[in-house]
C-alpha cells in the first residue's frame, strides 16, 4: 500500500536521517511516483538525488536522467544497481561508466549476459573481481574468470556459491596460495568435496579447512585421522575419539598414530597399559608426559628400567604422589636430577633426594635452584661442608641437625652466600647471631641484626646440643694440654 506522506515531510526526513536510512524506512511502504518526480524536479540536492537513485520503485525516466546528468560516482553506482534501471542504460554504463560504477554494476545480481560480457575483460582489476564474486552470472563466464591472470579475481570467484565441480578442482590446485586458501577455508562447495579434502593426506588442505565455520561431524571425524600434528592439536576441542578408535591407534603399525594416542588427554587406563609396553621409546615418552596418566601406569613406568620413560615421567606436572616417591628412589641419577627440578617437591621427597645422594650431584642441582631444606642428616651435612662448592655450603647452612662446630665453620665460610643462608637458620643462638651481625658483608650483618631484633629477650644463649659440643671441646683441649 502506498505511503501517505507529503513531499516536504519526505524531504525533511532525507535531510535529517540521510538517503540510505530513508530508503530502508520506505522500502516496503512504497512512496507515490508523483512525490518522487516532484522531489527530483524541485530539489536537486545531492542527498535527494542519492535517495532517488537508491529507491527501488523510482520511475525509470528519473533514473535515465540521473544516469545522463549526474556525474557523482556514488549516485551513478546506485543507478547501476537499481532494479528499475533500463537495459540500454545498463549497457551504456558498462561501456562508458567510471570504475566505481562498473564495479557496482558487476556486483549487480540482476544484470544480463550482455553486460557480463562487457565487463568480463574490463581493464580494471576491481571490476573483474566484483564480477567474479557475483554468484548469479552464467557458468561459462565463471569458467573464463577462473583463467584470469590476477589472483584477486580468482580468489573472489573461489568465495562464490554453487561453483561447478571442475572449477572447484581447478581453484584448489591454483598456483596462488591465497586462492587455494580461500577455496579450502571459505569456498561454498558441496559436502562430498569437503569430505574428500578432509580424507586426503594433504596437510595444506586439512589445515586450511580448520578455518571453516562449524564443519560437519563427518568432516571433523575425517580430519581427526590426519597425520599432521597441527591438525590433531586443533581438533582436540572438536572431536573426542571413542575408546575403540583410541585402541585402534594404540595398536596401529603407524608410529605417529601410537604417539598421538599416548598423548590423548582422556586416554583410558587399559589403553595406557598397552602403550606403556610399546617397543618405541617415543611412544613411552609421550605416555609418561601425559598429564592424565593413571597412577598404576605411572608406578609401573617409575619402577621399570626405562630411563627415557622415567625422565619424561619426572617432568610430568600431574604426576601422582606415589610415582614421585618411586622416582626419587630411582637408580638413575639423571631421573633423580629431573625430579630435583620439580616445583612441587615436598619435605618427604627432599628427604629422599638429599639424604640418599652419594655423589651430591642431585643436591648440587637443588642448591643451584636456591632450595632450602632443613632435614639434611648429619653425615650428609659433613659431606656437603667438606665440598669446595659454596652453593653446597649454603644448602647445608639451612640444616636443623648442624653441630656447634659446623655452625662455627659456616660462620667463617669464605662465601657470603653460606653465611647469609646461616642467618635464617632457626637453631642459631643469640651469641652466634651477634657475631654474624658484625660480619664484613653488610647484607649478612643486616640479616643477622634483623633476627636479633625479632628474637625474644628470654631466648637462651645456647641450645643444649651446642652446650654439649662446647663442653666436649673444652675437655678435649684440657686433655691435649696434659699429653
Amino acid at each position: 500500500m502506498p505511503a501517505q506522506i507529503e513531499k516536504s515531510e519526505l524531504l525533511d526526513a532525507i535531510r535529517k536521517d540521510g538517503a540510505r536510512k530513508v530508503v530502508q524506512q520506505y522500502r516496503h511502504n512504497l512512496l507515490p511516483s508523483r512525490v518522487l518526480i516532484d522531489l527530483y524536479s524541485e530539489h536537486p540536492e545531492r542527498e535527494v538525488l542519492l535517495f532517488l537513485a537508491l529507491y527501488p520503485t523510482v520511475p525509470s525516466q528519473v533514473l535515465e536522467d540521473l544516469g545522463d546528468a549526474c556525474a557523482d560516482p556514488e549516485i551513478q553506482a546506485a543507478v547501476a544497481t537499481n532494479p528499475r534501471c533500463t537495459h540500454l542504460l545498463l549497457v551504456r554504463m558498462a561501456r562508458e561508466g567510471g570504475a566505481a560504477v562498473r564495479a557496482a554494476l558487476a556486483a549487480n545480481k540482476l544484470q544480463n549476459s550482455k553486460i557480463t560480457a562487457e565487463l568480463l575483460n574490463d581493464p580494471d582489476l576491481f571490476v573483474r573481481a566484483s564480477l567474479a564474486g557475483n554468484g548469479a552470472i552464467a557458468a561459462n563466464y565463471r569458467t573464463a574468470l577462473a583463467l584470469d591472470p590476477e589472483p584477486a579475481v580468482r580468489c573472489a570467484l573461489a568465495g562464490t556459491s554453487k561453483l561447478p565441480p571442475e572449477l572447484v578442482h581447478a581453484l584448489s590446485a591454483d598456483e596462488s596460495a591465497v586462492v587455494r586458501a580461500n577455496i579450502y577455508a571459505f569456498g561454498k562447495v558441496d559436502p562430498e568435496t569437503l569430505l574428500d579434502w578432509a580424507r586426503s593426506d594433504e596437510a595444506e588442505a586439512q589445515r586450511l579447512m580448520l578455518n571453516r565455520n562449524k564443519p560437519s561431524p563427518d568432516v571433523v571425524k575425517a580430519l581427526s585421522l590426519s597425520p599432521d600434528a597441527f591438525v590433531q592439536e586443533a581438533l582436540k576441542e572438536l572431536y573426542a575419539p571413542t575408546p575403540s578408535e583410541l585402541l585402534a591407534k594404540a595398536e596401529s603399525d603407524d608410529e605417529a598414530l601410537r604417539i598421538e594416542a599416548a598423548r590423548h588427554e582422556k586416554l583410558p587406563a587399559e589403553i595406557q597399559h598397552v602403550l606403556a609396553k610399546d617397543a618405541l621409546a617415543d611412544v613411552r615418552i609421550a605416555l609418561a608426559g601425559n598429564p592424565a596418566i593413571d597412577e598404576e601406569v605411572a608406578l609401573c613406568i617409575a619402577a621399570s628400567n626405562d630411563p627415557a620413560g622415567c625422565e619424561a615421567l619426572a617432568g610430568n606436572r600431574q604426576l601422582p604422589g606415589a610415582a614421585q616417591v618411586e622416582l626419587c628412589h630411582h637408580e638413575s641419577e639423571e631421573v633423580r636430577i629431573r625430579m630435583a627440578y620439580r616445583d612441587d617437591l615436598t619435605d618427604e621427597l627432599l628427604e629422599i633426594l638429599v639424604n640418599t645422594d652419594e655423589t651430591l650431584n642431585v643436591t648440587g642441582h637443588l642448591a643451584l635452584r636456591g632450595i632450602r631444606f632443613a632435614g639434611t642428616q648429619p653425615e650428609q651435612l659433613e659431606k656437603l661442608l667438606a665440598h669446595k662448592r659454596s652453593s653446597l655450603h649454603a644448602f647445608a647452612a639451612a640444616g636443623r641437625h648442624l653441630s656447634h662446630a659446623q655452625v662455627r665453620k659456616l660462620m667463617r665460610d669464605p662465601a657470603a652466600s653460606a653465611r647469609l643462608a646461616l642467618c635464617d637458620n632457626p637453631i642459631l643462638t643469640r651469641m652466634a647471631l651477634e657475631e654474624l651481625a658484625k660480619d664484613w658483608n653488610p647484607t649478612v650483618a643486616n640479616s643477622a641484626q634483623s633476627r636479633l631484633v625479632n628474637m625474644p629477650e628470654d631466648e637462651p644463649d645456647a641450645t643444649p646440643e651446642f652446650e654439649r659440643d662446647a663442653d666436649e671441646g673444652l675437655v678435649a683441649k684440657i686433655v691435649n694440654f696434659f699429653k
Side-chain angles (χ1 to χ4, degrees), residues 230-296:
F230 180 86
V231 176
Q232 289 294 332
E233 185 65 26
L235 282 177
K236 282 184 177 179
E237 297 181 2
L238 296 177
Y239 180 72
T242 63
S244 59
E245 290 173 338
L246 287 172
L247 181 60
K249 290 183 178 181
E251 295 178 337
S252 169
D253 292 335
D254 190 328
E255 297 175 356
L257 288 178
R258 301 205 306 276
I259 292 173
E260 175 199 329
R263 289 173 176 161
H264 189 71
E265 59 184 12
K266 294 182 180 179
L267 188 63
E270 296 80 5
I271 301 177
Q272 291 188 31
H273 277 285
V274 172
L275 293 168
K277 301 173 185 176
D278 198 282
L280 186 67
D282 288 344
V283 175
R284 302 194 305 273
I285 290 171
L287 177 65
N290 191 331
I293 192 167
D294 180 75
E295 182 175 9
E296 184 178 341

Side-chain angles (χ1 to χ4, degrees), residues 267 269 272-273 290-303 313 316 318-326:
L267 188 63
Q272 291 188 31
H273 277 285
N290 191 331
I293 192 167
D294 180 75
E295 182 175 9
E296 184 178 341
V297 176
L299 281 171
C300 288
I301 296 175
L313 195 66
N316 191 328
Q318 303 299 323
L319 185 62
Q324 292 185 27
V325 172
E326 189 70 30

Side-chain angles (χ1 to χ4, degrees), residues 238-403:
L238 296 177
Y239 180 72
T242 63
S244 59
E245 290 173 338
L246 287 172
L247 181 60
K249 290 183 178 181
E251 295 178 337
S252 169
D253 292 335
D254 190 328
E255 297 175 356
L257 288 178
R258 301 205 306 276
I259 292 173
E260 175 199 329
R263 289 173 176 161
H264 189 71
E265 59 184 12
K266 294 182 180 179
L267 188 63
E270 296 80 5
I271 301 177
Q272 291 188 31
H273 277 285
V274 172
L275 293 168
K277 301 173 185 176
D278 198 282
L280 186 67
D282 288 344
V283 175
R284 302 194 305 273
I285 290 171
L287 177 65
N290 191 331
I293 192 167
D294 180 75
E295 182 175 9
E296 184 178 341
V297 176
L299 281 171
C300 288
I301 296 175
S304 68
N305 186 22
D306 180 13
C310 290
E311 287 181 34
L313 195 66
N316 191 328
R317 294 185 178 181
Q318 303 299 323
L319 185 62
Q324 292 185 27
V325 172
E326 189 70 30
L327 289 176
C328 286
H329 284 291
H330 201 276
E331 61 182 14
S332 170
E333 187 173 83
E334 289 299 322
V335 173
R336 300 198 305 276
I337 288 175
R338 286 291 185 93
M339 286 298 297
Y341 280 89
R342 293 186 64 87
D343 293 328
D344 57 354
L345 290 174
T346 63
D347 283 348
E348 178 190 5
L349 299 178
L350 288 170
E351 174 82 25
I352 301 169
L353 290 172
V354 173
N355 293 320
T356 61
D357 185 20
E358 296 182 1
T359 64
L360 301 184
N361 283 339
V362 177
T363 308
H365 284 274
L366 291 169
L368 290 173
R369 289 190 63 199
I371 289 177
R372 295 290 175 258
F373 175 59
T376 309
Q377 293 300 314
E379 58 273 18
Q380 286 296 103
L381 288 171
E382 195 65 37
K383 291 168 64 176
L384 291 172
L385 293 174
H387 204 283
K388 62 182 180 180
R389 286 171 56 181
S390 59
S391 59
L392 291 178
H393 298 178
F395 186 88
R400 63 174 174 266
H401 299 299
L402 286 169
S403 67

Side-chain angles (χ1 to χ4, degrees), residues 111-275:
Q111 63 175 267
N112 56 39
S113 57
K114 190 169 184 179
I115 296 171
T116 305
E118 289 285 346
L119 300 173
L120 189 63
N121 297 309
D122 195 283
D124 192 280
L125 165 64
F126 294 102
V127 174
R128 301 200 308 278
S130 295
L131 187 64
N134 189 338
I137 62 176
N140 58 320
Y141 295 118
R142 299 171 93 179
T143 302
L145 288 165
L147 301 175
D148 193 284
E150 290 293 338
V153 176
R154 306 195 302 275
C155 193
L157 182 65
T160 58
S161 59
K162 299 180 181 178
L163 278 172
E166 59 273 13
L167 282 187
V168 172
H169 176 74
L171 293 171
S172 66
D174 196 278
E175 62 181 13
S176 170
V178 177
V179 176
R180 297 197 304 273
N182 203 28
I183 193 71
Y184 284 133
F186 309 107
K188 300 176 179 66
V189 299
D190 60 273
E192 290 78 11
T193 300
L194 284 177
L195 198 54
D196 286 343
W197 287 345
R199 286 172 175 166
S200 72
D201 284 339
E202 295 181 14
E204 180 188 59
Q206 293 175 331
R207 288 188 178 194
L208 290 168
M209 288 183 70
L210 295 173
N211 293 294
R212 287 189 166 270
N213 186 28
K214 297 181 180 178
S216 69
D218 288 341
V219 168
V220 172
K221 186 173 181 179
L223 287 174
S224 71
L225 301 175
S226 170
D228 187 79
F230 180 86
V231 176
Q232 289 294 332
E233 185 65 26
L235 282 177
K236 282 184 177 179
E237 297 181 2
L238 296 177
Y239 180 72
T242 63
S244 59
E245 290 173 338
L246 287 172
L247 181 60
K249 290 183 178 181
E251 295 178 337
S252 169
D253 292 335
D254 190 328
E255 297 175 356
L257 288 178
R258 301 205 306 276
I259 292 173
E260 175 199 329
R263 289 173 176 161
H264 189 71
E265 59 184 12
K266 294 182 180 179
L267 188 63
E270 296 80 5
I271 301 177
Q272 291 188 31
H273 277 285
V274 172
L275 293 168

